[in-house]
Amino acid sequence: MANWDLLLTDVRIATMQRGAAGYGAIEDGAIAIADGKLAWLGPAADIPDLTAAETRSLSGRWITPALIDCHTHLVFGGDRAAEFEQRLQGTSYEEIAKAGGGILSTVRATREASPDELFDSAMRRAQIMAADGVATIEIKSGYGLDVANEIKMLEIARRIGETSGLSIQTTLLAAHAIPPEFEDRRDMYIDLICDELIPEIAARKLADSVDAYCETFAFNPEQISRVFQSAQSVGLPVKLHADQLSDGHGAALAARFNALSADHLEYASAEGIAAMGKAGTAAVLLPGAFLTLHETQLPPVDHLRNNNVSIAIATDCNPGTSPSCSLRESMALACRLFRLTPEECLAGVTREAAVALGLEKDRGTLEVGKRADLAIWDINHPRELSYWLGVRPLADLLIAGRTVNLN
Ligand SMILES: [Zn+2]
């Protein structure tokens, strides 16, 4: 019997290992896979004298860790293209909201859609993401806003993982917006989340983490603290939509609960970022939403760097503020809008995105023992992954050592 299932030769490898300079690159390398994990990698000259069931020469192509989209709202009913057009024709957000538009129109469409309709549209988006090199996708609920529909969304997210072969991480985001039925009694909605929804999804193992939206028009820190305490009481880690449109002290709140990540952060204070650094809470930057909302307040990238905060990048795929299914487009935008370097951007969708999901022991870099999630690219250097716009350089995607069908 062979020692390895698969040996990839004549490859250039960007290991993205923490602390390694220059993408952790290995020129003229080889990678061996056994039982879905990386069994060996290094310069071709050092390949151990072992046997492989299959050997593939990749003609000098680059291999990076498969990409990880650590913040999406992939499951939703309908779209908001008409609203997008109206806003650019001069209609204000308030007028659109009064006419039944905005996030509550997505809530309505999601509640009305059948599970199969929601599954089909989300599955299409997941496949588009995979064609850009993404193997792991985090999917949030948050357009159901009642027990039955939040559960429906999480079940669909789980089904996408089971059907597609992609790795799906699910997040309960019931505290995303105020449901219309609870407009004047927000604390009672928080009661519902803490007393009914979280115990139910924990018992059925439907979510891997719990998220909330901290903003003046959404939920305040006291309400979010209750949701987080409830999540942690059943062993679920938390994350937070924080300081996107104003400084609501979301970064510090996330750090206080040792959140996996605080996401957006355009208005986060220096103190909040320092607290995140101490707590090991990752920052997830979402340039697609920044672009779509015509934001001008940049996230505090230098503070994040100086406090050694993990900087991840994600699509925030959602119908209202970031209708994007391309994580490579997010990398390109993060370079251009936030002035991240191409290497920071690749780390942001691999190593640091794994940190933002609590998966860093299992994936995000190419190191022996980690899952063999590999993106194989037709490029001359990994910096091109942030450079090109509108190009699809992915040659192959492997998840746990198996090639994913991208059609
Ligand atoms: Zn979001």
Side-chain angles (χ1 to χ4, degrees), residues 71 73 140 173 176 241 264 286 316 318:
H71 181 142
H73 308 251
K140 301 176 195 296
L173 177 58
H176 190 196
H241 284 68
H264 288 292
L286 304 165
D316 195 14
N318 79 76

Side-chain angles (χ1 to χ4, degrees), residues 129-196:
M129 288 181 169
D132 231 1
V134 174
T136 301
I137 305 175
E138 185 259 14
I139 302 178
K140 301 176 195 296
S141 68
Y143 296 123
L145 307 186
D146 61 29
V147 173
N149 283 295
E150 287 292 298
I151 287 174
K152 176 172 84 171
M153 291 186 70
L154 293 171
E155 285 174 339
I156 290 161
R158 285 277 193 246
R159 197 172 136 203
I160 289 170
E162 288 152 16
T163 316
S164 65
L166 300 176
S167 181
I168 303 296
Q169 291 284 304
T170 60
T171 301
L172 176 73
L173 177 58
H176 190 196
I178 322 290
E181 313 83 84
F182 285 88
E183 181 55 46
D184 301 319
R185 39 191 194 122
R186 298 177 181 202
D187 286 319
M188 289 183 72
Y189 181 56
I190 297 293
D191 292 343
L192 179 82
I193 294 173
C194 297
D195 301 342
E196 289 188 43

